[in-house]
Amino acid sequence: MVDQSLDSYRLELALENLGAVLWEWDPETDTAVTHPSADGFFGRDISSFDELSEIIHPEDREQVVETLESSLETGASFNIEFRILVDDEVQVIETRGSIRREPEMGSPRVVGIATDITERKRRETEFQTIVEQSSDVIAVVDDTGVIEYVSPAVRRVFGYETDEILGANISDLIYPPDRDDALPVLLGSGMTDKNSPERVEYRLRHGDGSVRWVESRVSPRGDAMSSNLVINTRDITERVEVEQNLKRADESRSLALEASQAGIWDWEIGSERVNWHSSCERVFRVPEGGFEGTYEAFARRVHDDDLPAVEAAINRTVNEGEPYHVDYRIIRDDGVERWITARGKVLSDSSGNPTRLLGVVIDITEQKEREQELKQYERIVETAPDPIYVLDETGDFTLVNEALAAAVGCSKEELIGTSIGDQLESADAEESLQRIMALSDEESDSPPLDLTLSTPDGTRDYEVNIALSGDDQRGDAPRTVGVARDVTDIKEHKRRLSVMDRVLRHNIRNKLNIILAHSNFLTEYPDQDIQNRAETILEAGESLESLSESARRFKASTHPNQSSIRTTNVADCVTHVVDEAQRQFPHATIRVHQEAEVWAEVHEAFELALTELVENAIRHSDRSAPTVEITVEKHESTVSVQVSDDGPGLTDMEQNVVLEGEETALEHGSGLGLWLVRWTIANSGGTIDVRNNDPTGTVVEARVPRDSS
């Protein structure tokens, strides 16, 4: 009885710390048994797979069914994570198990352990021992088994009226398969060799037609003149079922503990004897039965740096009665270092003296690694130079870093729990709320939010990237994560550059017009040398004017801006470019290969970039009648535009500008055209490639995103 109690206590402790239930399912009859009761775990009693299916999340049912069917077919163990719906709340369940095939069981059984991993809490479950509360039924039978007397308790215990039983033979009440074993004891001498009452367990037919387990004690009537026997019988059905469940649980325990990487142990405090269940040996990678059974053998496997903490925890538990709970590292017998969490309780004798420490160990290495990753992320956030914050669903700060606290001029503690609206102008607060609502509607490509904050250094402009955090599948409330960047100086720099750009372009254009006018006048001067110099000045001025015009036309392409993307019929762009080029360069031949409609997502400067490619091919050709071919092709997700010419080809420097967007300190492109083409295609979300044409010339291919609609 002591060993059985200890086993029950160990199992209860293991389940309590694992937050789990053991279960067994018979696929043939679709009956399921869980231990402990499924009410507290699934929110309802589960006696079949159909009942479990009712609470499995609709999106996960097929996965669960397919996994179980596969395991039944192959005999392989399984590990499933799925969601269940309990009181309209989503919980995540992990269940591991395997198939048991034993001849005496007939059909295969599925046995496993289910753990609620939603909050990583261990639900405490305990075996409920069913106490026999029924009174014994006392009967007197003759040597043939005829019942001559039965106590009134027979009605309450076995559902028979007294009149129904009197005169009947006891064999008629015994379940037929058990008669051969029960009758010899019931109708024997009634005493054992040790002069104690005979005992026998068998099944009895209840008055309602069911079959019940009973235990009978048989003794002589005590009357020397009579051979009658007195039979005291009690209903032990519940006890037998508990024993069967405990046996099944014990058979499943090793599998369950192995699946959850947990092990059971106990320490006999007085004798220094440490007992490890085979599951504990598996955790430490000790061969089954190979543990030496001493405290010293256990301590030898604990990491040297952690042993003092383990021993301190044991002392607090034994001497002060505290629950045993400690995390530490072990060195397994295979040389691998792992993290372990250990929990336990002390058993005491009747005088209150501690006699035994029972516990469970669980491998938490993966959990520790996740905790380390989380700490690393926390350090990154805390030390980031940009302000970072997290808001709850009401807009209150739940996390802020030092950069944000410094920006608003208060401590992190003062910010936590306050509303972000307290730090913003009303218009900015409203815009922030609308942007968060847009994210909730799955508009995930929201542009950065522009906010203005009053800081100890004055008013500052910030660009804030926001995103929603939270797992909808687990029912988490959405949280808003914001990363802000101070763009005050950048905006001021842009404003100054804009002013400088306008001033320079205005002045250069005016001065250039004067230069062109005077040089044009000098080309008609009678002195040939002056005419030549004037033509050189005129050519340089016109080139500079062309360069200025290209810069003006392509100004938009220098700014990566998603709002400048347009859904465009590329075929129309090609037609416009070709028509204009034919008017400008009638001596050139331009061939086009394309469909009537080829829609793509391109930057607004795309047609200008295409014009630059075509005009560049014609202007720099070394032929009197250059040929340019334009080919437009549709692919699965892109549109390809190829511009081919038969000229001398691009130099290595020019190809590097197009392919890499780079130029060396000693080599610079003489014009902006190729740069602007590259920028436009890049701003369209596309790519560009350059290769040699056959036999001469160049092929420039631009690929841009195809219209998804």
Side-chain angles (χ1 to χ4, degrees), residues 428-439:
D428 285 349
E430 180 65 24
E431 173 66 17
S432 178
L433 176 61
Q434 292 178 359
R435 191 67 58 83
I436 293 172
M437 293 176 63
L439 288 175

Side-chain angles (χ1 to χ4, degrees), residues 285-302:
R285 290 298 188 271
V286 176
E288 187 169 353
F291 179 60
E292 298 86 342
T294 64
Y295 178 82
E296 188 278 332
F298 157 72
R300 188 173 66 248
R301 292 174 168 89
V302 178

Side-chain angles (χ1 to χ4, degrees), residues 37 112 137 247 260 269 271 275 277 315 466 480 503 592 623 669 674 680:
S37 169
V137 176
K247 182 180 180 181
S260 58
I269 297 174
S271 66
N275 303 305
H277 187 270
N315 289 333
I466 59 174
T480 304
V503 171
V592 177
R623 297 173 181 266
L674 294 178
T680 299

Side-chain angles (χ1 to χ4, degrees), residues 566-574 595-600 602 606:
R566 303 286 187 268
T567 301
T568 304
N569 184 5
V570 174
D572 287 345
C573 293
V574 171
E595 298 179 12
E597 291 190 357
V598 185
W599 294 90
V602 297
F606 177 76

